[in-house]
Amino acid sequence: MKKFKFYFLLLTAALGILFCAPPVHAAKLPALKVKGAQLVNAKGKAVQLKGVSSHGLSWFPEYVNAKSFGHMKKNWGVNAVRLAMYTGEYNGYCTGDAANQKALEQRIHKGVQYATQAGLYVIIDWHVLSDGNPRTYEKQAVRFFRKMAAKYKNHTNVLYEICNEPNGGTSWSDIKAYAKKVVKAIRAQDKNGIILIGTPNWSQDVDAVAQSPLKGYKNLMYSLHFYAGTHGEGLRQKAKAALNKKLPLFVSEFGISDASGNGALNKREGKKWMQFLKKHKISYIGWNLSNKQESSALLKPACKKTSGWKNADLSPWGKWLVKEMT
Ligand code: IDC
């Protein structure tokens, strides 16, 4: 009788462990930090993030799903994704209504969840573009990032990108003033998360930023964006000048089409850029995961799948980028 009771207890305990144990989460990704100009892991080893950006979350939300993120991790060699949330145009966070704002936040939360499950780093991108100067929606940005940082301070895989591409003549001193406020709000919650700061002139004038980067905070990096159909050696010279001053750079968006996101691909210049990024171990994120009829879309317009793509589903740019990353 006693023996029976013992085995019964053993069996229930085993079943309990099997069925009631908390769900298994993807292993926590190592926290990142910035050492000198380099992104590194806790052991100080250089880390190069490689990945793709969503198109605008209001335009193409369907690609933010668990299967697509899992597929890209397994088959495309990505270790990061970027969630591009426009602030101005087309149901932007700051121009749409409250319901739209809520829906966008939900998409971000889902995106972070899928990225975490897939074992990917994920960038929350405040996609300033038609709004030009990030100060236009500064209050909203502070509120948004305070909320995000409170929620994700323990997520070692989340990076904050606080202004995609300041433009329209916005000066570094304006961006710097904005960044001070947003970084302060993030740091009040999240002491260590990596923060990417946009730079003047569509995130190109990193040389100007290197003259007077933000002081007093660690783990800050600066965005460098290029489209190889438009930008070549001249922009790499700016990047070199910034690196000489030890400015941490992060290519949070790039393409090999022209800067409009369309037009012919320049693969030759693209190769030069990839060599440059490899040499300096700079992280890069390709624009954009969609099937839009434009040459910077990674999928063919005829492809209706939102995950599980074959090589034949990829646009010429998609094929090129996947080959680079794998
Ligand atoms: C473009 C998209 C295009 C969309 C447009 C909205 O590719 O489908 O209609 O934005 O204005 C950037 C921006 C990025 C642009 C991209 C191509 O960060 O939002 O996407 N680009 O123009 N900087 C340089 C190029």
Side-chain angles (χ1 to χ4, degrees), residues 55-56 59-60 82 84 86 89-90 125 127-130 164-165 202 204 225-227 231 253-255 257-262 287-288 290 292-294 296-297:
H55 193 287
W59 272 290
F60 292 98
R82 176 189 194 227
Y86 282 77
E89 50 271 67
Y90 190 67
D125 163 34
H127 203 83
V128 171
L129 191 62
S130 65
N164 167 50
E165 290 182 354
W202 288 279
Q204 296 177 79
H225 289 182
F226 67 85
Y227 281 77
H231 311 116
E253 187 185 303
F254 84 103
S257 67
D258 64 41
S260 73
N262 220 335
W287 179 261
N288 70 74
S290 81
K292 188 169 173 176
Q293 181 81 51
E294 62 179 3
S296 64

Side-chain angles (χ1 to χ4, degrees), residues 126-146:
W126 183 258
H127 203 83
V128 171
L129 191 62
S130 65
D131 32 343
N133 188 330
R135 303 208 80 173
T136 313
Y137 298 122
E138 183 174 277
K139 278 204 187 86
Q140 290 91 328
V142 167
R143 220 180 301 132
F144 173 80
F145 280 108
R146 188 184 291 133

Side-chain angles (χ1 to χ4, degrees), residues 120-286:
L120 295 168
Y121 289 91
V122 54
I123 301 169
I124 300 176
D125 163 34
W126 183 258
H127 203 83
V128 171
L129 191 62
S130 65
D131 32 343
N133 188 330
R135 303 208 80 173
T136 313
Y137 298 122
E138 183 174 277
K139 278 204 187 86
Q140 290 91 328
V142 167
R143 220 180 301 132
F144 173 80
F145 280 108
R146 188 184 291 133
K147 218 193 265 184
M148 293 300 128
K151 192 165 169 84
Y152 295 121
K153 60 185 168 199
N154 296 321
H155 273 64
T156 50
N157 62 328
V158 170
L159 294 82
Y160 310 96
E161 181 173 6
I162 65 171
C163 50
N164 167 50
E165 290 182 354
N167 61 81
T170 305
S171 65
W172 169 236
S173 69
D174 248 4
I175 302 169
K176 197 174 177 182
Y178 164 85
K180 272 184 190 160
K181 293 203 174 149
V182 179
V183 169
K184 192 175 166 204
I186 294 174
R187 283 290 178 259
Q189 307 287 340
D190 184 337
K191 299 279 172 258
N192 301 307
I194 304 288
I195 302 175
L196 311 180
I197 302 173
T199 57
N201 192 23
W202 288 279
S203 286
Q204 296 177 79
D205 291 353
V206 289
D207 50 343
V209 174
Q211 305 295 332
S212 103
L214 220 73
K215 291 259 157 39
Y217 295 100
K218 56 183 181 177
N219 297 341
L220 305 181
M221 302 188 85
Y222 297 87
S223 307
L224 169 70
H225 289 182
F226 67 85
Y227 281 77
T230 305
H231 311 116
E233 190 53 35
L235 186 51
R236 283 195 291 279
Q237 287 301 331
K238 279 176 180 284
K240 276 181 203 158
L243 289 173
N244 285 340
K245 292 224 159 213
K246 296 269 175 290
L247 191 77
L249 299 182
F250 194 112
V251 174
S252 55
E253 187 185 303
F254 84 103
I256 61 169
S257 67
D258 64 41
S260 73
N262 220 335
L265 303 181
N266 190 337
K267 295 184 179 172
R268 224 175 74 100
E269 197 61 52
K271 274 279 173 212
K272 285 188 192 162
W273 273 110
M274 297 316 283
Q275 279 157 10
F276 179 80
L277 300 181
K278 191 172 176 195
K279 180 171 171 202
H280 298 286
K281 298 194 178 71
I282 297 175
S283 299
Y284 62 83
I285 302 286

